[in-house]
Amino acid sequence: MQKMIVSAMRMLVYFILAVLCASLAGSVIQSQFNLVAISALGAPVPVPVWLATTLEDLAGFAPLYAAMMAVSLLLALPVAALALRLLTPAQRSTWQLPVYALAGALGICAAFLAANAAAPMPTLIAATRSVAGTLAMMLSGALGGWVFARLHTLDQ
Amino acid sequence: MYNRFPHAPRRVSAARTTSLIALLMAVLWLASAHAADSESREYDSQVMAEGLVHPWSLAFLPDGRMLVTERAGRLRLVDVQDGLREAPVSGVPDVFASGQAGLKDVVLAPDFADSGELYLTYACGTARANGLCLARARWQDDALQDVQTLFTTRPTKRGDAHYGGRMVFLPDDTLVLTLGDGFDYREAAQDPGSHIGKTVRLNRDGSVPADNPFVGHAGVLPEIYTLGHRNAQGIVFDATTQRLYAHEHGPRGGDELNLLAPGKNYGWPLVTHGKDYTGARITPYTTLPGFEPPMVDWTPSIAPAGMTQYRGDLFPQWEGNLLVAALAGKRVHRVVLSDEGARDEEQLFGEINARFRDVRTGPDGAVYLLTDSPAGRLLRITPAER
């Protein structure tokens, strides 16, 4: 019983770390897309302004994105675990990290689509207006899945 | 000794204090109730029509009746005596009705009494390729005749958000029309080759006035009058000062009242006091050289959706003020104009507790309000009878 509780607590810590890494990465990525768009319009964006805006988004944007990421990983990680069960133990060790990363990426993509359908605005996160931006933001979900799986692997 | 009955005196004191606080609260409550009552009695509100489906704009016919647009694509006729006519006005062009898209503004030509001409703006096209259209029609036998589409925005865009769609006549008989940024196309508000996020100035037949600010400029659409707007849903020309005012929705914060001048750039999305709905910064800048600052910035947002300049006899204390209808704010903001700028003076009609889509000054000097809901109302506001 105690072992199960310890195991569950570990999983919880891994999950929180995964959400933290993914949401911070996603926040930094979306800041770059917005700043590139502003820069492309001809406004000068010197490095200090670039960094300050990126940091400001970590406080302003990352909390909401962390909530989205938490929900998406909560659904995507069990799906990844189930998918891995279809593989042999040897295949599983090879594919564990990619499958979790893929699940994280697809999970956050699904979260984008759900948010856009539910929210009054057409696209909730501006960086996901383009295919390139969506793929880049999916990398943050992939990072979340990868971090969770990596920590789990180290544990094993 | 000091500690022997440490609580008894305090209990008495606490009881007295509690009584005093209760008394004070009762007095304050009575005073606030009286104040609220006094406030509510400063004007009377009369329901002229109800059951309007997301009414958007209002125009006064010379015979005393009113035209009201409904977002779904219907034009309704309201009679002062008989109320809302059940059958919508016929002849309205087909609109793209979805989300924020639909029938928008209705404005009578300055010579309507002679020409019978009126102008409509509406979302046109499909979900995948749409924009804003301007049509002219002739009012005859309580119907629209000879409907002509005069102007269509380009390029087309996807989605059903941010159309702008308000218009106003200038004294030279040209028409200035506000165009939204389509939400997902904010950067296009700075693209001179696109109508997105601009105001345009047109002749009454839809042609381009020769003195438009960008006529003859390569790469700039000649209809463009001003640039850098997000979603302007209020525009007023002050005939006394010859000034053109427009307000626009910001994102989360950054709603603006602007003084429009031909050829000027109002900065969206390069400069704004607002942030994205996610909390992300849209731009690092609230000001930049070359961009016009707002006269009034509303942060947090009030969602300004209609505007009138009050000119009438019933509310002399508001003469010349701008009245700004607010959706999210559920108030009408009274903005006082001066040579130095503009000041958001007070908020009105909060006790009506409705999202206000439009506000107009009637020919009788009353203030007319459209409330935004699937069962919207047309309200007539007059000073309270004392």
Side-chain angles (χ1 to χ4, degrees):
Chain A
M1 183 66 184
Q2 197 180 0
K3 201 176 171 183
M4 279 179 65
I5 293 172
V6 170
S7 175
M9 291 300 287
R10 271 190 189 149
M11 297 286 261
L12 182 64
V13 170
Y14 299 160
F15 179 76
I16 291 169
L17 286 171
V19 169
L20 198 65
C21 290
S23 50
L24 293 178
S27 179
V28 171
I29 291 168
Q30 69 86 36
S31 298
Q32 309 320 301
F33 272 82
N34 290 343
L35 288 167
V36 164
I38 291 300
S39 182
L41 291 175
V45 188
V47 172
V49 173
W50 204 288
L51 289 174
T53 307
T54 303
L55 284 174
E56 194 180 340
D57 280 348
L58 288 177
F61 172 82
L64 177 123
Y65 194 56
M68 280 180 76
M69 186 60 72
V71 172
S72 71
L73 286 181
L74 204 58
L75 297 172
L77 297 178
V79 172
L82 286 173
L84 283 167
R85 284 192 183 183
L86 300 173
L87 305 177
T88 63
Q91 289 172 323
R92 219 174 284 165
S93 63
T94 307
W95 286 99
Q96 188 173 18
L97 292 177
V99 166
Y100 270 94
L102 183 65
L106 294 177
I108 197 65
C109 185
F112 295 150
L113 295 173
N116 292 345
M121 61 286 295
T123 309
L124 180 65
I125 296 172
T128 63
R129 289 177 295 168
S130 64
V131 174
T134 304
L135 290 173
M137 291 298 281
M138 285 170 67
L139 285 178
S140 67
L143 178 67
W146 185 88
V147 166
F148 182 83
R150 184 74 184 129
L151 291 171
H152 193 52
T153 311
L154 288 174
D155 197 27
Q156 287 170 338
Chain B
M1 188 67 184
Y2 179 76
N3 290 326
R4 193 171 172 187
F5 305 108
H7 300 301
R10 286 187 192 172
R11 236 180 252 136
V12 171
S13 174
R16 278 182 185 164
T17 307
T18 307
S19 304
L20 279 171
I21 289 172
L23 186 65
L24 188 63
M25 286 176 69
V27 169
L28 285 173
W29 179 78
L30 283 170
S32 65
H34 176 72
D37 190 39
S38 302
E39 187 187 347
S40 68
R41 278 193 271 115
E42 285 178 2
Y43 51 83
D44 290 330
S45 169
Q46 178 188 0
V47 178
M48 304 295 290
E50 53 192 344
L52 294 159
V53 182
H54 292 289
W56 214 88
S57 182
L58 170 68
F60 301 93
L61 293 169
D63 60 11
R65 296 182 299 170
M66 288 161 275
L67 291 171
V68 178
T69 59
E70 288 177 307
R71 199 171 65 200
R74 295 187 300 183
L75 185 63
R76 309 295 298 273
L77 194 55
V78 179
D79 190 290
V80 176
Q81 302 299 328
D82 302 334
L84 180 67
R85 180 181 288 187
E86 196 172 329
V89 172
S90 65
V92 174
D94 286 339
V95 310
F96 167 54
S98 168
Q100 296 174 10
L103 184 58
K104 302 286 183 183
D105 210 356
V106 55
V107 169
L108 307 187
D111 63 351
F112 177 84
D114 296 325
S115 68
E117 280 184 9
L118 60 80
Y119 291 77
L120 294 168
T121 55
Y122 55 100
C124 49
T126 65
R128 287 176 174 272
N130 65 76
L132 192 84
C133 282
L134 169 70
R136 177 172 63 177
R138 193 163 44 80
W139 179 251
Q140 188 176 13
D141 301 327
D142 291 351
L144 301 186
Q145 309 284 349
D146 306 329
V147 180
Q148 282 179 282
T149 303
L150 301 179
F151 171 75
T152 304
T153 54
R154 60 183 192 275
T156 58
K157 59 170 192 61
R158 291 169 68 109
D160 56 10
H162 289 197
Y163 290 87
R166 293 282 185 198
M167 54 186 160
V168 70
F169 273 99
L170 300 184
D172 61 3
D173 219 23
T174 60
L175 191 68
V176 175
L177 168 60
T178 70
L179 305 172
D181 73 348
F183 194 94
D184 277 350
Y185 302 83
R186 64 193 188 202
E187 291 81 8
Q190 291 297 325
D191 178 0
S194 165
H195 288 131
I196 289 173
K198 312 294 188 312
T199 67
V200 292
R201 177 168 168 258
L202 303 167
N203 289 317
R204 278 178 57 170
D205 61 359
S207 62
V208 178
D211 59 347
N212 258 10
F214 297 110
V215 167
H217 287 58
V220 186
L221 293 175
E223 299 90 357
I224 292 176
Y225 193 61
T226 60
L227 302 91
H229 300 285
R230 186 170 181 269
N231 190 19
Q233 291 192 338
I235 187 163
V236 158
F237 182 76
D238 183 346
T240 305
T241 60
Q242 298 288 297
R243 286 177 170 178
L244 182 63
Y245 299 97
H247 64 52
E248 63 184 67
H249 293 267
R252 203 166 96 183
D255 295 349
E256 296 179 354
L257 174 69
N258 289 303
L259 176 62
L260 298 192
K264 298 288 186 184
N265 193 324
Y266 293 81
W268 175 255
L270 284 168
V271 291
T272 176
H273 288 269
K275 286 184 174 181
D276 215 338
Y277 295 104
T278 57
R281 287 231 63 115
I282 293 159
T283 169
Y285 302 114
T286 54
T287 60
L288 276 175
F291 298 105
E292 300 302 306
M295 300 178 79
V296 175
D297 167 74
W298 285 287
T299 301
S301 290
I302 62 167
M307 180 161 63
T308 186
Q309 184 173 39
Y310 186 79
R311 298 278 185 204
D313 297 331
L314 295 186
F315 295 97
Q317 69 276 25
W318 297 346
E319 182 68 16
N321 295 171
L322 296 178
L323 300 180
V324 175
L327 292 165
K330 293 186 171 181
R331 302 279 195 283
V332 171
H333 288 242
R334 182 165 71 87
V335 176
V336 177
L337 302 170
S338 66
D339 290 339
E340 289 75 38
R343 188 178 70 250
D344 188 13
E345 182 70 22
E346 67 170 330
Q347 299 173 27
L348 305 165
F349 316 134
E351 61 283 352
I352 295 173
N353 191 29
R355 288 162 55 85
F356 294 112
R357 171 61 72 183
D358 202 5
V359 54
R360 301 280 171 162
T361 310
D364 56 353
V367 172
Y368 289 79
L369 304 171
L370 287 176
T371 66
D372 175 59
S373 87
R377 293 177 294 165
L378 168 60
L379 304 175
R380 178 174 179 263
I381 307 291
T382 52
E385 291 185 15
R386 297 187 187 277

